Amino acid sequence: MNLSITINSTERQTHVSVSGEIDVYTAPKLKEKLFPFSEKEEMNLIVDLNGVTYMDSTGLGVMVGVFKSLRKHNGRLQLTGLSDRINKLFMITGLADIMNIKSGVEGEEV
């Protein structure tokens, strides 16, 4: 179960590129990397999932937790690069209705 996370951060915006599988084994690593940014005031967090080949409910849970933490701290979450399968997960669960999901250019302002 491999997961690669690359982070580029400025004071107000962080761009995180994720590749590999997000599951019960790798989700804690993703949570450990994302949560510190979600607790900063007015942070714009862009998570590029273009390289993610698999995500289970544990991964969805991490995204929901990060989303809630960002909202609590007046920040915003943008998910980009979702595969059709992963996008479908967000659609089925209703998360696509509350989260900012874009297929646009990586790193654009949210």
Side-chain angles (χ1 to χ4, degrees):
M1 315 294 165
N2 272 343
L3 186 68
S4 175
I5 302 168
T6 305
I7 300 171
N8 293 309
S9 188
T10 63
E11 185 177 327
R12 300 292 278 240
Q13 181 168 304
T14 298
H15 185 270
V16 180
S17 295
V18 184
S19 61
E21 297 180 357
I22 304 173
D23 58 21
V24 70
Y25 301 105
T26 60
K29 178 181 176 182
L30 182 61
K31 181 178 178 178
E32 176 185 304
K33 296 291 186 180
L34 294 181
F35 262 84
F37 297 109
S38 74
E39 295 173 334
K40 293 183 179 180
E41 285 298 318
E42 299 182 1
M43 175 59 70
N44 292 320
L45 182 60
I46 301 168
V47 181
D48 181 1
L49 301 174
N50 189 50
V52 175
T53 56
Y54 175 81
M55 180 186 291
D56 67 9
S57 61
T58 314
L60 288 175
V62 169
M63 294 303 170
V64 169
V66 167
F67 175 74
K68 286 182 177 181
S69 180
L70 280 162
R71 286 187 61 172
K72 180 180 174 183
H73 295 95
N74 300 311
R76 295 187 295 190
L77 174 65
Q78 180 181 26
L79 301 178
T80 65
L82 281 69
S83 68
D84 289 342
R85 184 185 182 290
I86 293 173
N87 191 51
K88 192 172 185 177
L89 283 175
F90 282 87
M91 298 289 283
I92 289 170
T93 58
L95 293 173
D97 295 333
I98 61 170
M99 291 185 177
N100 184 4
I101 299 175
K102 300 274 186 201
S103 59
V105 179
E106 294 178 22
E108 65 187 3
E109 287 286 333
V110 281

